[in-house]
Amino acid sequence: MAPVEWSVLSGEAVETVVGFMLCRENPEAMRIKPSRGDGGIDILVPVSGHPGKVEIYQVKSFTGNGHTQLSNSQKRQIRGSLERLRTYCAETGLEVVDWYLALPMLPTNETRTWFEELVATQPFTCHWRGRDHLDVLAARYPEVIDYYLHGGRERLSGAMTSMASALLLAQRAARRPTEAEAEATEPAPLAPADTIDGLIGLHDLLNRDDPHYRYDLAVSGSPPPLDRDEPLLVAAVQRGTPGRGADDGTVVTIKVYARCRMSVYERPIPGSFVVDPTGDDDLARDLELFHQYGRPFQIPQGALTVDVDLPGGLGGVMEGASGQITPASEPGAEQQLYIAVADPDGQVLAEPLVDMQPLTGGVLGVYRSGEDHEGAFTIEMRTDLSTRMSKVEIRPGDLAGRRPHDLLEGLRFVTSFVHPNSFRFRPAYGPGASPFSAIPNPTMVEPGALLLRALIEGLATIQEFTTEQILVPDLSTVTTDQRVSILDTARLLRGEILTITWNDLGPVHMHPGVDVAPDERFAVRLLDPLTIDLADRTLELPGFRQTDIASAQPDFDTRCKHDDHYDVRLRPAGSDLAQFSYAADPPPEGA
């Protein structure tokens, strides 16, 4: 591509092209719309790994007076941009690490000296990025130059339409032939290795001309999972015929990625959608809450019609689709907060860290949701701005596979968020805690939350007695007996004594040489290995379960000789109470 003739371009064209090339070079960059309050900032680039710190680019279209010098007016504009930036930093606390002046001219010694004197007293490092630097960017991103300056916009539109048609033809050609077609034709054998060069060429062709978006292509037997949080992913299109398994279908997946964060502003993706809730009361309620508070929701298969102008000719009308409405994903939109709940005396009962999603709004009020940082619960808050009344819904999360100790704080919060307690928010770092607010009456604990908390506390207690890591099982598969075993074992390990009633015990193995009389009364102590069934495995714990019976008598009819001792069953003698406790040490030898 021939060098860019910067001097013949309009100021607007220079600033547009240079600005977008800088965004391509710094994909996280944001272009700032010119205004009285822009702070002398054209492009703001977050510094990777240093939250709160930024680099600033000021783009000027100056080519120099006679292509060699800056005019006095141009120097005043540059000086003014720097002064506005310093004022803006002082007012807002913006921390600038580097400042760059980008313009399509080469400095003379006089200009270089003037610039060095100008920036010598600045509180941040300043750099000149002249024509030589911009020419390097132009060679690195020829599709940007072609699109904005050489009519590439129209060529790209035509090329993408042709490629979309070619992909459709390829999809049809890849259709499995019928038995009759297979018998009528005998194509030459094709090995997978034969397709590699063609696929590479197709991928290169897809990504040759579009300055704003890039495309990844995959062919599989079934639709692969899609991660909506994949960086810079703006859309994914899947077409073809999924098979019943991974080996009898053909699905083409094309992912569309923004080349930088400003791509969606330079080439927006317009569209519209219609949600039909007919016959679905849950969807109708979700739509109502979305309209009132901006609450995100899922749209089931068949209820969504979308008309969208996707890049690459991939858009169009899609009927009978499914989808989800969520807050726009922007860096820094999420926020970590501690949410404390306190009793009426002000004693904090729990204060978990919660990952909060961006605030959304509707015609009535605002909505915000979050998830406990350890996954113990989710929280939703809807506030009616006219009445200042809020509704808070808290539900336990999916706990399977998590460590019990990590969940304790969150579950204490869930079970304590009731009237007449109160709650407050505070940032994860620094000051700014809100005052405590009363929890409305009535506010009820989610059904089953108290038992859930008890089970997780039980597992956490058991974990303290074993080096084998315990993870929370899928509680939907845990039986009632297993839950009772977890709770009772934890109580024993905490030092509690459990009292039960009994009516039969045995057979009990008497010591060799010991016999019993029919009317004999005696106390009984039994020591059994302490084990617990955790649904996925049986765990052996140190120590013993000790059973103490104050008074028992033999059921003499069951007495029988067994090797060198007698076996006999026991029944209560008076009281039918027995006590369980935890014994850490084995019984003395001979006991």
Side-chain angles (χ1 to χ4, degrees):
M1 178 176 289
V4 178
E5 294 292 338
W6 299 103
S7 61
V8 302
L9 300 178
S10 68
E12 181 181 2
V14 171
E15 292 178 6
T16 297
V17 171
V18 172
F20 195 68
M21 288 195 303
L22 291 171
C23 289
R24 285 288 303 273
E25 189 74 359
N26 304 278
E28 296 295 327
M30 294 176 285
R31 291 185 67 184
I32 306 301
K33 183 178 180 179
S35 68
R36 293 178 60 88
D38 63 12
I41 301 172
D42 284 337
I43 296 173
L44 184 149
V45 183
V47 178
S48 178
H50 298 277
K53 297 184 178 182
V54 298
E55 298 174 343
I56 300 298
Y57 285 84
Q58 177 65 217
V59 181
K60 299 296 185 184
S61 60
F62 310 149
T63 58
N65 183 15
H67 306 291
T68 58
Q69 294 283 358
L70 289 171
S71 68
N72 289 332
S73 173
Q74 291 168 341
K75 290 179 180 178
R76 284 195 299 272
Q77 292 182 53
I78 295 172
R79 185 182 295 108
S81 295
L82 261 178
E83 291 174 352
R84 294 201 311 277
L85 176 61
R86 290 189 63 172
T87 300
Y88 185 81
C89 291
E91 293 175 347
T92 64
L94 183 70
E95 189 172 355
V96 176
V97 177
D98 292 280
W99 179 83
Y100 298 88
L101 176 64
L103 70 175
M105 68 168 289
L106 296 173
T108 62
N109 281 333
E110 292 80 3
T111 299
R112 180 179 55 79
T113 299
W114 170 84
F115 181 76
E116 290 175 351
E117 292 175 350
L118 172 68
V119 303
T121 59
Q122 301 301 324
F124 34 74
T125 307
C126 299
H127 311 266
W128 177 285
R129 289 291 184 261
R131 177 167 183 162
D132 50 351
H133 181 76
L134 300 186
D135 284 343
V136 170
L137 293 182
R140 186 175 297 162
Y141 304 113
E143 67 276 10
V144 174
I145 303 301
D146 185 58
Y147 182 88
Y148 286 102
L149 302 179
H150 300 152
R153 189 189 306 259
E154 288 74 22
R155 285 196 297 276
L156 175 63
S157 177
M160 287 300 177
T161 300
S162 299
M163 270 190 282
S165 300
L167 287 171
L168 182 59
L169 290 174
Q171 177 185 329
R172 292 172 178 171
R175 175 181 59 84
R176 290 179 180 271
T178 64
E179 292 185 8
E181 291 172 336
E183 292 175 358
T185 59
E186 190 173 345
L190 180 66
D194 298 332
T195 68
I196 293 177
D197 289 341
L199 291 174
I200 292 174
L202 177 59
H203 187 268
D204 290 343
L205 181 63
L206 283 171
N207 290 286
R208 184 186 63 187
D209 299 318
D210 194 331
H212 305 116
Y213 299 96
R214 68 176 180 86
Y215 308 86
D216 279 353
L217 175 70
V219 183
S220 54
S222 59
L226 300 175
D227 179 7
R228 63 178 294 272
D229 294 324
E230 193 174 352
L232 298 179
L233 177 68
V234 298
V237 177
Q238 294 179 324
R239 294 177 181 168
T241 305
R244 291 182 299 275
D247 58 350
D248 60 355
T250 302
V251 176
V252 177
T253 300
I254 300 178
K255 292 184 177 181
V256 183
Y257 298 89
R259 292 189 183 271
C260 61
R261 293 209 172 271
M262 291 307 300
S263 292
V264 294
Y265 298 94
E266 291 291 322
R267 195 295 194 190
I269 304 176
S272 62
F273 65 92
V274 176
V275 179
D276 182 8
T278 303
D280 189 333
D281 293 340
D282 290 337
L283 180 57
R285 179 178 179 275
D286 287 340
L287 271 174
E288 181 180 16
L289 291 175
F290 171 71
H291 177 65
Q292 293 174 338
Y293 300 99
R295 179 180 181 270
F297 67 103
Q298 298 280 344
I299 305 172
Q301 188 76 38
L304 178 65
T305 299
V306 178
D307 185 358
V308 61
D309 179 20
L310 288 175
L314 298 171
V317 177
M318 292 171 279
E319 298 178 336
S322 63
Q324 57 182 342
I325 306 296
T326 62
S329 178
E330 293 289 342
E334 299 82 8
Q335 182 184 17
Q336 287 190 322
L337 295 173
Y338 284 101
I339 308 181
V341 60
D343 64 19
D345 295 327
Q347 179 69 37
V348 173
L349 305 175
E351 191 174 22
L353 180 64
V354 181
D355 300 321
M356 301 298 295
Q357 294 301 309
L359 186 74
T360 61
V363 297
L364 291 184
V366 295
Y367 170 88
R368 200 166 193 193
S369 65
E371 182 179 16
D372 172 54
H373 191 65
E374 301 296 346
F377 65 88
T378 59
I379 182 170
E380 294 187 7
M381 296 174 287
R382 301 195 300 271
T383 302
D384 189 316
L385 295 180
S386 62
T387 63
R388 298 293 178 180
M389 297 296 292
S390 297
K391 181 176 178 60
V392 181
E393 296 182 4
I394 300 172
R395 299 182 181 88
D398 181 6
L399 310 186
R402 301 182 185 273
R403 295 179 298 188
H405 276 284
D406 295 340
L407 303 170
L408 294 180
E409 190 74 3
L411 292 176
R412 292 188 188 112
F413 175 84
V414 172
T415 54
S416 301
F417 197 89
V418 294
H419 181 80
N421 293 339
S422 58
F423 72 102
R424 76 168 182 200
F425 299 92
R426 69 175 177 91
Y429 307 101
S434 68
F436 277 96
S437 300
I439 297 174
N441 184 25
T443 299
M444 307 297 292
V445 176
E446 179 78 10
L450 290 171
L451 174 59
L452 182 61
R453 170 181 165 178
L455 285 170
I456 301 306
E457 287 178 334
L459 291 173
T461 296
I462 294 168
Q463 180 67 85
E464 296 174 3
F465 287 80
T466 177
T467 58
E468 186 175 344
Q469 186 179 55
I470 296 175
L471 300 178
V472 178
D474 180 354
L475 296 177
S476 65
T477 66
V478 177
T479 66
T480 299
D481 287 345
Q482 290 169 338
R483 297 185 184 200
V484 171
S485 176
I486 292 172
L487 296 174
D488 286 350
T489 301
R491 292 176 64 187
L492 293 177
L493 294 174
R494 297 184 193 118
E496 295 185 42
I497 296 176
L498 308 184
T499 301
I500 65 168
T501 59
W502 69 288
N503 55 24
D504 181 72
L505 179 65
V508 175
H509 307 294
M510 308 301 293
H511 284 297
V514 177
D515 199 358
V516 293
D519 297 326
E520 188 174 355
R521 305 288 190 270
F522 45 81
V524 177
R525 170 168 290 179
L526 302 176
L527 292 170
D528 296 306
L530 190 59
T531 63
I532 186 168
D533 186 359
L534 292 178
D536 57 341
R537 67 189 187 279
T538 298
L539 188 64
E540 296 185 3
L541 299 172
F544 301 87
R545 186 182 68 177
Q546 178 175 301
T547 305
D548 287 301
I549 298 173
S551 180
Q553 66 183 41
D555 183 353
F556 208 71
D557 292 338
T558 66
R559 172 179 171 276
C560 64
K561 184 74 172 176
H562 184 194
D563 296 332
D564 61 349
H565 63 274
Y566 285 98
D567 287 347
V568 66
R569 302 191 70 84
L570 304 179
R571 65 175 184 267
S575 173
D576 61 352
L577 297 181
Q579 292 184 329
F580 292 147
S581 59
Y582 173 64
D585 300 317
E589 188 71 25

